[in-house]
Amino acid sequence: MKVFVTGGAGYIGSHTLVRLLAAGHDVCVFDNYANSSPVALARARQLTNREVVAVEGDIRDSDALAQSLADFAPDAVVHFAGLKAVGESNDIPLLYYQTNVTGTMNLLAAMDAAGCRRIVFSSSATVYGEAQYLPFDEEHPIAPTNPYGRTKAMAEGVIRDWATATPDASAVLLRYFNPVGAHESGRIGEDPQDTPNNLMPFVAQVAVGRRARLSIFGDDYDTRDGTGERDYIHVVDLAAAHLAALEYSARATGCEAINVGTGQGITVKELVAAYEAACGRPIAAEIAPRRPGDVASSYAATAKAERLLGWQAALDVDDMCRSSWKWQSENPQGYDATTGAGA
């Protein structure tokens, strides 16, 4: 299969790229490297001994996108490219709408011109907003509480309307919970360009000495230990879910939203303890006030993924922490410290 991957040099994109190449698919990556690195592509080539076409471009550039799709003529698209920081989206909402919504519209138009009718979209559980009940299933109301979540919900709506209006179209909207961990080789992993917005990369940077301590925002929630509880999924499991979604899209039409999580919640303190066991050193942490908008618990209902995709998560929190530490300890400055694209 020929697969066009937007944002394929990013964290989730690069892990999915390795799975796609290992499965024998031909891949073209379209990425502007705004929050990623071409080194990840070089390492994906090394890990799989496979070549990948790489095009540097921005999904807001409709002409470049259309030309790349026309040149590659893919059978399917996996759409990762987008901005993803909740806090930042409050500060620069227009850029989020231009990238995440207009960029998706540009992609669908380019797919139409190239005759491509299959897409797997990188969505987010952020579209659900505040939990009306748990676990979140795909029928939970969509009520995002920040611009990032609203752009994901709008992009989902655009894709759903496109699929409804396009004969033989197939779209899978994968609503991720909290991707963490790294490839077992330690060669690719999460490399935030600025201060990490998520818990595990922050913990990893404290463990490796890049940051002094972790702030735990609130220890008085109604959870097992008072700290927030989230559904963390290993990025390698998430990559496998994309392959399963591609296979599903080949035998189904229409549009389906599918949660991708483990169905289990892990608290902040539990994740920190697991990371301490993985790295063999204490993680300096302090309790800070709750952050506005944070909820006590969030975890996925996963039955739909099992039913439609034949997929379920296989890796646990210890696997997540061990692989993250291998990546972070062997790449303490992420990809920036490498010398040369193939380092």
Side-chain angles (χ1 to χ4, degrees):
M1 186 190 313
K2 298 180 70 176
V3 185
F4 188 87
V5 182
T6 71
Y11 172 45
I12 303 169
S14 60
H15 287 81
T16 302
L17 173 62
V18 167
R19 292 297 292 258
L20 288 167
L21 294 174
H25 299 298
D26 296 323
V27 182
C28 175
V29 168
F30 187 90
D31 200 306
N32 68 356
Y33 307 121
N35 193 34
S36 60
S37 171
V39 177
L41 300 184
R43 293 185 177 187
R45 293 183 180 104
Q46 293 173 342
L47 288 168
T48 60
N49 197 29
R50 293 283 313 283
E51 192 47 66
V52 55
V53 177
V55 178
E56 184 171 358
D58 192 303
I59 57 170
R60 292 172 296 171
D61 185 342
S62 57
D63 291 339
L65 194 55
Q67 187 63 57
S68 295
L69 273 154
D71 291 343
F72 188 67
D75 301 302
V77 170
V78 182
H79 181 27
F80 294 109
L83 300 175
K84 62 176 184 177
V86 169
E88 182 183 65
S89 75
N90 288 308
D91 298 330
I92 47 173
L94 292 184
L95 183 60
Y96 271 68
Y97 283 97
Q98 290 164 357
T99 304
N100 295 358
V101 181
T102 304
T104 298
M105 294 169 64
N106 290 342
L107 177 61
L108 294 172
M111 288 173 61
D112 278 344
C116 182
R117 298 288 184 266
R118 294 163 57 194
I119 185 170
V120 175
F121 175 56
S122 167
S123 192
S124 168
T126 310
V127 301
Y128 294 125
E130 298 287 339
Q132 296 186 16
Y133 56 84
L134 289 172
F136 283 109
D137 60 29
E138 292 83 356
E139 301 307 312
H140 188 283
I142 300 300
T145 59
N146 53 71
Y148 165 66
R150 284 189 282 273
T151 64
K152 284 296 189 182
M154 289 182 69
E156 280 195 8
V158 170
I159 293 170
R160 189 178 298 278
D161 288 342
W162 169 83
T164 299
T166 305
D168 301 324
S170 182
V172 183
L173 315 173
L174 294 182
R175 292 174 179 164
Y176 312 159
F177 276 68
N178 297 271
V180 295
H183 192 267
E184 60 270 16
S185 67
R187 298 290 287 158
I188 57 174
E190 188 168 11
D191 182 25
Q193 300 295 303
D194 296 306
T195 302
N197 293 293
N198 300 314
L199 176 61
M200 185 174 281
F202 203 106
V203 171
Q205 291 188 8
V206 173
V208 84
R210 284 177 62 178
R211 300 191 183 275
R213 68 186 64 252
L214 169 73
S215 293
I216 298 175
F217 298 106
D219 64 349
D220 57 351
Y221 287 104
D222 184 17
T223 61
R224 290 180 293 281
D225 57 26
T227 61
E229 179 186 39
R230 299 292 182 268
D231 189 339
Y232 294 97
I233 178 171
H234 200 301
V235 68
V236 170
D237 277 334
L238 182 53
H242 286 82
L243 265 70
L246 277 174
E247 293 167 0
Y248 171 79
S249 72
R251 62 179 185 269
T253 57
C255 183
E256 290 286 354
I258 302 175
N259 285 340
V260 187
T262 66
Q264 303 290 325
I266 300 167
T267 70
V268 175
K269 287 184 177 179
E270 288 168 346
L271 187 140
V272 170
Y275 212 99
E276 289 177 331
C279 70
R281 61 188 68 178
I283 303 295
E286 61 186 5
I287 303 301
R290 291 188 185 189
R291 292 180 301 189
D294 277 356
V295 298
S297 297
S298 173
Y299 52 94
T302 60
K304 189 172 183 180
E306 295 173 25
R307 185 178 77 253
L308 294 187
L309 306 184
W311 173 91
Q312 57 183 344
L315 301 170
D316 63 17
V317 64
D318 292 327
D319 298 313
M320 300 171 198
C321 293
R322 279 194 298 267
S323 63
S324 170
W325 176 240
K326 182 174 178 61
W327 153 256
Q328 192 69 77
S329 61
E330 295 181 3
N331 303 268
Q333 300 299 321
Y335 294 117
D336 285 346
T338 61
T339 54

